[in-house]
Amino acid sequence: MENYTMEGRTYRYYGKEAPLYPFGYGLSYTTFQYRDLVLSPPTLPICANLSVSVVLENTGQQDGEEVVQLYLRWEQSSVPVPRWQLVAFRRVAVPAGRETKLSFQVVAEQRAVWAQDWRLEPSTFTLFAGGQQPGQQTRAPSEVLSARFTVTGAARSLHGC
């Protein structure tokens, strides 16, 4: 085998066509609302980690569980990258009418791209937070919030951090 590209071979590289049953697919007996997505810092050095927080509220009449998912999208890259990449998820139980603030850490390694070795590149990124993949249309409505952050500095090997 000489062609190791993932394009057209896995849902992460299918282009605009969404998978029939993406990660997080399913229904709930309640409804959830996401708000207050905060990325800190909004501009970070090449080797730094990103702190993420989001508030999840159970707006329904039943206690419920939600799988909160974080996806990362590269706005520019020197090599082919997925449309978006799952970087964190957590199952959270939230009583009816209550809310919880969740915190995540997106480490520098999760932004690395393969270019003969694992490299970190400066770029603008979009981070998505919600109960489903960005743009998913095959389940009950769920919000997906998004926010951008910028990574500055010279590209370098991941091992150089």
Side-chain angles (χ1 to χ4, degrees):
M1 182 171 169
E2 295 178 7
N3 182 357
Y4 291 98
T5 180
M6 295 303 289
E7 202 159 324
R9 295 184 185 172
T10 173
Y11 76 91
R12 292 172 53 201
Y13 292 87
Y14 275 160
K16 296 181 188 217
E17 188 176 326
L20 183 58
Y21 297 107
F23 181 80
Y25 178 83
L27 298 176
S28 177
Y29 292 104
T30 191
T31 54
F32 295 95
Q33 180 176 0
Y34 290 81
R35 69 173 189 278
D36 301 333
L37 176 61
V38 177
L39 308 183
S40 179
T43 301
L44 62 150
I46 195 90
C47 293
N49 298 331
L50 179 72
S51 295
V52 179
S53 67
V54 66
V55 174
L56 174 65
E57 181 181 3
N58 181 340
T59 57
Q61 301 295 315
Q62 300 287 326
D63 294 351
E65 292 184 351
E66 175 81 331
V67 178
V68 179
Q69 303 166 44
L70 299 185
Y71 291 88
L72 185 67
R73 180 175 68 203
W74 289 258
E75 299 302 328
Q76 310 164 9
S77 176
S78 66
V79 296
V81 292
R83 289 183 297 175
W84 48 74
Q85 177 169 307
L86 180 67
V87 292
F89 67 93
R90 186 176 308 148
R91 179 177 295 276
V92 182
V94 184
R98 303 290 298 266
E99 64 183 44
T100 185
K101 183 176 183 177
L102 300 158
S103 296
F104 297 89
Q105 186 91 346
V106 178
V107 296
E109 289 85 0
Q110 293 174 298
R111 292 184 279 106
V113 296
W114 181 255
Q116 305 307 319
D117 70 339
W118 289 105
R119 299 193 55 76
L120 293 169
E121 299 179 344
S123 183
T124 298
F125 294 83
T126 302
L127 186 111
F128 300 92
Q132 61 189 24
Q133 291 182 3
Q136 181 177 327
Q137 301 294 320
T138 57
R139 83 162 253 200
S142 178
E143 293 176 285
V144 176
L145 304 179
S146 65
R148 288 186 171 210
F149 67 97
T150 302
V151 174
T152 61
R156 68 171 64 183
S157 170
L158 180 59
H159 302 295
C161 288

